[in-house]
Amino acid sequence: MQWIAVALALSSAVCLALGTQTQSVAVTGHTEGPLTPRGLWPLVRNLRWLSGLALLGLGTVLNVAALSLATVTVVQPIGVIALVITTLLHARHRHLIINRGTWLAVALCSVGGATFVVCAVIGTDPTHVPGTRAENTVVALLVGLVVLIGVCELFVRRHRISMFYVLGAGLLYGFVAVLVRLTATTITSSGFGDIRWTSVLMIVVAAALGGWMVQCAYSCGPPDLVIAGLTVVDPMVGVALGLVVLGEAGDFFTGALGTAMGLAGLVAIVGVVVLSRHHPEVLQRRAAARAQQDAVTSGAVADTATPRRTERATDR
């Protein structure tokens, strides 16, 4: 069964990578500048975008199936392969040369993320059942996060900050994963009658906003940065909520293990930051923006100097 789970997890990583790359190409090919809600409608009718969505859905189903056959320790670290695959696919599509900074970032994300997940599995108690108060706390925190991200998005949209969208989507999906798990646990133990519909509503709202953030991230950054952010931030948020809010810390969770988790998480986050600064596509966009700004500045200087020359000629 374990080898079947590994095969399913590998297939899931491939589907997630292909789906991310496909959707990214669709978004960048049909939008100029920041993605707007009006620009989302043509994407919904785009066959390539829909194909990417189908691949992402298939990848999610395969990952769930893998988790049902093996432990998180075996399955979850395999997901970082999606980052490597996406980086290679995107570099080939854009004819980019992957630099050392990008490879270093991929290594940091992979090692840090995998170590964090392994430490989390060792330190958490899978048999712990959170109470109603804990779930309500998660819902309240998610409501505040949705409002905060929604307000910030209105101000950040024109600046095309890819890290904002990547981190925002990762935070939202981390909350969604926790609420989905809590809802599934409730259905398994008590049936549909005890479902907390506020949790279901926030799952839908956060998932929709997270999907929007991902599409915006496609329009202003490389797809491998999106995958890196989601594979790093999403599980970290879920584990942090489980330990701090839901009380899932087990007997093996010690100060040393917590320190190891913190260091691993820091390494992974540094990897995401390095990728956002040294990815070859990011460097190209930065150089193009500087060239455009220099051209605008030169034009402004030339326009300012022209009237002076005209006045001197008139005086003569």
Side-chain angles (χ1 to χ4, degrees):
M1 286 294 182
Q2 198 171 42
W3 287 109
I4 297 177
V6 171
L8 290 172
L10 287 172
S11 302
S12 173
V14 173
C15 289
L16 292 176
L18 292 174
T20 299
Q21 174 63 24
T22 303
Q23 278 204 327
S24 174
V25 172
V27 171
T28 54
H30 287 75
T31 57
E32 295 182 1
L35 182 65
T36 62
R38 182 178 298 179
L40 188 61
W41 175 242
L43 292 175
V44 176
R45 298 179 295 175
N46 182 270
L47 182 60
R48 174 173 288 177
W49 188 88
L50 292 175
S51 300
L53 182 63
L55 286 169
L56 292 174
L58 178 59
T60 302
V61 172
L62 290 173
N63 192 63
V64 172
L67 287 171
S68 66
L69 298 176
T71 62
V72 179
T73 310
V74 174
V75 175
Q76 202 69 10
I78 299 176
V80 298
I81 296 177
L83 173 58
V84 180
I85 297 174
T86 305
T87 301
L88 295 176
L89 287 175
H90 187 62
R92 181 178 181 181
H93 173 74
R94 294 292 302 271
H95 304 289
L96 300 172
I97 299 177
I98 304 177
N99 53 35
R100 293 181 180 179
T102 300
W103 283 124
L104 175 62
V106 171
L108 291 174
C109 290
S110 302
V111 174
T115 304
F116 183 89
V117 170
V118 171
C119 292
V121 172
I122 295 174
T124 55
D125 180 12
T127 62
H128 176 73
V129 179
T132 304
R133 181 178 298 180
E135 184 170 351
N136 291 337
T137 302
V138 174
V139 171
L141 291 173
L142 180 55
V143 170
L145 179 63
V146 167
V147 173
L148 178 62
I149 290 179
V151 172
C152 291
E153 201 272 340
L154 297 176
F155 294 97
V156 175
R157 181 180 300 172
R158 295 183 179 180
H159 300 286
R160 295 170 58 83
I161 304 176
S162 58
M163 277 296 295
F164 166 75
Y165 293 111
V166 170
L167 293 177
L171 289 170
L172 290 169
Y173 284 147
F175 274 86
V176 168
V178 171
L179 289 179
V180 167
R181 184 179 61 190
L182 292 175
T183 303
T185 302
T186 300
I187 295 174
T188 303
S189 59
S190 306
F192 289 92
D194 291 336
I195 292 180
R196 298 177 182 88
W197 293 106
T198 53
S199 298
V200 176
L201 175 62
M202 289 312 301
I203 288 173
V204 175
V205 172
L209 181 57
W212 167 253
M213 300 289 284
V214 168
Q215 301 304 315
C216 290
Y218 289 151
S219 69
C220 57
D224 29 349
L225 177 59
V226 178
I227 281 288
L230 295 181
T231 55
V232 168
V233 178
D234 184 345
M236 287 185 182
V237 172
V239 171
L241 288 173
L243 294 175
V244 178
V245 180
L246 303 181
E248 294 181 345
D251 296 334
F252 294 99
F253 187 82
T254 62
L257 185 63
T259 302
M261 289 178 62
L263 292 176
L266 180 61
V267 168
I269 292 174
V270 169
V272 177
V273 175
V274 171
L275 188 62
S276 69
R277 296 178 63 86
H278 297 284
H279 191 282
E281 182 178 340
V282 173
L283 296 178
Q284 285 184 357
R285 295 191 182 198
R286 194 178 301 162
R290 289 177 180 173
Q292 184 178 4
Q293 185 177 3
D294 292 341
V296 172
T297 304
S298 300
V301 172
D303 292 340
T304 304
T306 301
R308 295 179 179 177
R309 295 177 181 175
T310 304
E311 291 175 0
R312 291 177 181 177
T314 304
D315 293 339
R316 293 177 183 177

